[in-house]
């Protein structure tokens, strides 16, 4: 019997991941944990904060949790607004999870990000093992978290698994406070106002992925045979990459009158420090990772579904 806890359950990843976990494991006991419970997602719900170790322990014991998807965390832009909080939630929160996981012999998933890379990292086809000198607090927490995960695996034999998520694009949950999130906001702009002002330059190329691919990869990694996995920091994980102007052209194929203007702000510096494309051959070779969505399909699906959601 799988007893799964998802933290950050109502975020961009958590919302879709919960639905897919319910579909793939209909008999599982799934518990959602978050600061604020926003909707009835058909799981057991617990209000909680990952920085409160005692409360987290209680929740794990109460539901006899055997597996955890620890998604709660601040993103790149949110992190810069309050670096101490980013450290506390992203690193201390993860440490709480890892320590309790060792005690309970739990399997853990935790997301890293392309933000673990920095401006000294090769920008194209960024290799799995490369320079990690991030310049955002978010990136610093991701590199720290990756090394902690690997340490707990080596020192305590904890089965912890991780992916370096690229920019993720989804419609069910509202976008978070990140840099790649322009690629979600733009769809709201296109449908509601027929225009969008982009906070990145038109030629800022970044690695991106549709949420269904991200969720599939996440569960597949958790279900992969442990002995096949050689990476216990975090796997490079990639699908497509595009610039804002390439995304605009694709949206205009569906909505020809859509216009986008560019007003790059402080977030440009963050985008400039990240890679443009990622070499994820390790993930593809070791546990069969494959993406399905290209840019064209992603745009069609986002517009169709967001339109329904916004009742337009
Ligand atoms: N979407 C994230 C951000 O931009 C990247 O991990 O902060």
């Amino acid at each position: 019997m799988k007893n799964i806890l998802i933290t950050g359950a109502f975020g961009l990843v958590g919302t879709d991941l919960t639905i897919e976990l319910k579909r793939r494991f209909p008999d599982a006991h799934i518990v959602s944990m978050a600061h604020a419970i926003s909707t009835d997602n058909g799981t057991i719900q617990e209000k909680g904060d990952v920085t409160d170790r005692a409360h987290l322990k209680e929740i794990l014991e109460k539901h006899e949790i055997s597996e955890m998807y620890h998604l709660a965390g601040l993103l790149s832009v949110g992190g810069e607004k309050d670096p101490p909080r980013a450290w506390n939630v992203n690193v201390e929160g993860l440490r709480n999870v890892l320590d309790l996981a060792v005690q309970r012999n739990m399997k853990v998933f935790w997301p890293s990000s392309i933000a673990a890379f920095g401006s000294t990292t090769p920008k194209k086809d960024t290799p799995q093992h490369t320079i990690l000198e991030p310049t955002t607090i978010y990136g610093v927490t991701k590199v720290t978290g990756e090394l902690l995960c690997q340490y707990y695996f080596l020192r305590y034999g904890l089965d912890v698994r991780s992916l370096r998520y690229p920019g993720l694009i989804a419609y069910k949950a509202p976008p978070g406070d990140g840099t790649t999130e322009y690629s979600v906001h733009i769809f709201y702009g296109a449908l509601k106002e027929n225009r969008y002002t982009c906070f990145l330059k038109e030629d800022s190329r970044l690695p991106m992925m549709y949420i269904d691919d991200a969720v599939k990869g996440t569960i597949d990694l958790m279900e992969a045979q442990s002995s096949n996995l050689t990476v216990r920091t975090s796997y490079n994980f990639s699908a497509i990459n595009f610039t804002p102007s390439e995304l605009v052209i694709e949206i205009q194929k569906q909505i020809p009158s859509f216009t986008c203007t560019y007003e790059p702000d402080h977030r440009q510096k963050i985008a400039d420090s990240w890679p443009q494309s990622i070499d994820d051959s390790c993930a593809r070779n070791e546990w069969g990772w494959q993406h399905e969505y290209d840019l064209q399909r992603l745009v069609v699906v986002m517009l169709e579904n967001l339109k329904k959601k916004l009742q337009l």
Side-chain angles (χ1 to χ4, degrees):
M1 177 76 169
K2 268 186 193 293
N3 291 344
I4 305 174
L5 178 68
I6 306 165
T7 71
F10 299 95
L12 194 82
V13 179
T15 301
D16 283 81
L17 180 72
T18 307
I19 295 169
E20 184 60 10
L21 283 171
K22 277 169 51 192
R23 196 188 68 79
R24 283 210 10 202
F25 309 110
D27 298 330
H29 224 71
I30 302 182
V31 181
S32 303
M33 178 176 147
H35 262 123
I37 308 294
S38 46
T39 50
D40 178 6
N41 64 358
T43 71
I44 304 157
Q45 304 189 324
E46 290 280 3
K47 212 171 151 185
D49 186 323
V50 291
T51 61
D52 183 343
R53 185 182 289 219
H55 188 215
L56 180 60
K57 187 168 191 261
E58 249 172 61
I59 293 173
L60 294 172
E61 281 168 1
K62 179 172 154 196
H63 299 286
E64 296 178 12
I65 297 299
S66 55
E67 217 170 277
M68 195 164 164
Y69 290 82
H70 172 40
L71 306 175
L74 270 70
L75 292 181
S76 58
V77 180
E80 291 312 306
K81 288 177 188 156
D82 191 347
R85 182 158 177 263
W87 180 267
N88 198 28
V89 175
N90 292 12
V91 178
E92 298 306 334
L94 174 63
R95 244 169 41 79
N96 288 340
V97 169
L98 295 176
D99 282 337
L100 293 168
V102 171
Q103 286 175 21
R104 299 187 53 79
N105 198 17
M106 269 172 15
K107 200 197 255 190
V108 177
F109 175 83
W110 170 78
S112 184
S113 158
I114 52 165
F117 303 117
S119 42
T120 52
T121 307
K123 280 211 175 309
K124 291 190 179 147
D125 289 330
T126 303
Q128 175 67 49
H129 300 286
T130 186
I131 302 164
L132 300 174
E133 294 181 336
T135 47
T136 60
I137 188 67
Y138 175 61
V140 171
T141 68
K142 289 301 183 190
V143 174
T144 309
E146 288 191 10
L147 293 173
L148 272 178
C149 288
Q150 178 178 252
Y151 180 76
Y152 276 69
F153 170 73
L154 295 172
R155 177 76 169 76
Y156 305 108
L158 182 70
D159 192 358
V160 50
R161 306 172 180 205
S162 176
L163 295 170
R164 290 174 177 150
Y165 283 155
L168 299 180
I169 299 162
Y171 65 87
K172 293 195 188 86
D177 207 1
T179 305
T180 60
E181 269 70 3
Y182 86 84
S183 61
V184 182
H185 290 290
I186 196 168
F187 288 99
Y188 287 82
L191 288 169
K192 282 166 110 171
E193 300 171 52
N194 207 24
R195 65 185 169 79
Y196 178 66
T197 305
C198 184
F199 55 75
L200 296 185
K201 287 193 291 198
E202 60 184 297
D203 61 351
S204 290
R205 182 172 300 282
L206 288 166
M208 298 281 188
M209 187 182 290
Y210 184 56
I211 192 70
D212 284 14
D213 279 337
V215 162
K216 181 177 160 289
T218 301
I219 301 175
D220 285 353
L221 173 63
M222 278 295 262
E223 292 302 307
Q225 216 181 314
S226 178
S227 55
N228 289 345
L229 310 179
T230 66
V231 176
R232 292 292 180 158
T233 49
S234 189
Y235 277 96
N236 278 9
F237 184 55
S238 171
I240 51 180
N241 62 78
F242 54 77
T243 64
S245 70
E246 288 168 358
L247 178 55
V248 168
I249 290 168
E250 215 49 55
I251 294 175
Q252 283 168 338
K253 288 185 191 163
Q254 309 298 321
I255 309 175
S257 54
F258 170 64
T259 55
C260 184
T261 50
Y262 298 90
E263 287 177 20
D265 63 16
H266 58 283
R267 289 168 278 197
Q268 184 64 48
K269 203 169 127 201
I270 299 177
D272 287 344
S273 75
W274 291 349
Q276 299 180 349
S277 61
I278 303 288
D279 175 355
D280 62 355
S281 45
C282 245
R284 290 179 191 261
N285 295 336
E286 290 181 15
W287 48 277
W289 159 240
Q290 263 184 313
H291 70 279
E292 283 175 17
Y293 285 79
D294 60 12
L295 177 58
Q296 191 191 349
R297 186 165 168 212
L298 175 154
V299 167
V300 170
V301 171
M302 278 297 289
L303 288 172
E304 254 176 39
N305 287 294
L306 197 55
K307 204 169 168 179
K308 273 187 226 152
K309 183 183 147 184
L310 299 173
Q311 296 180 327
L312 296 167

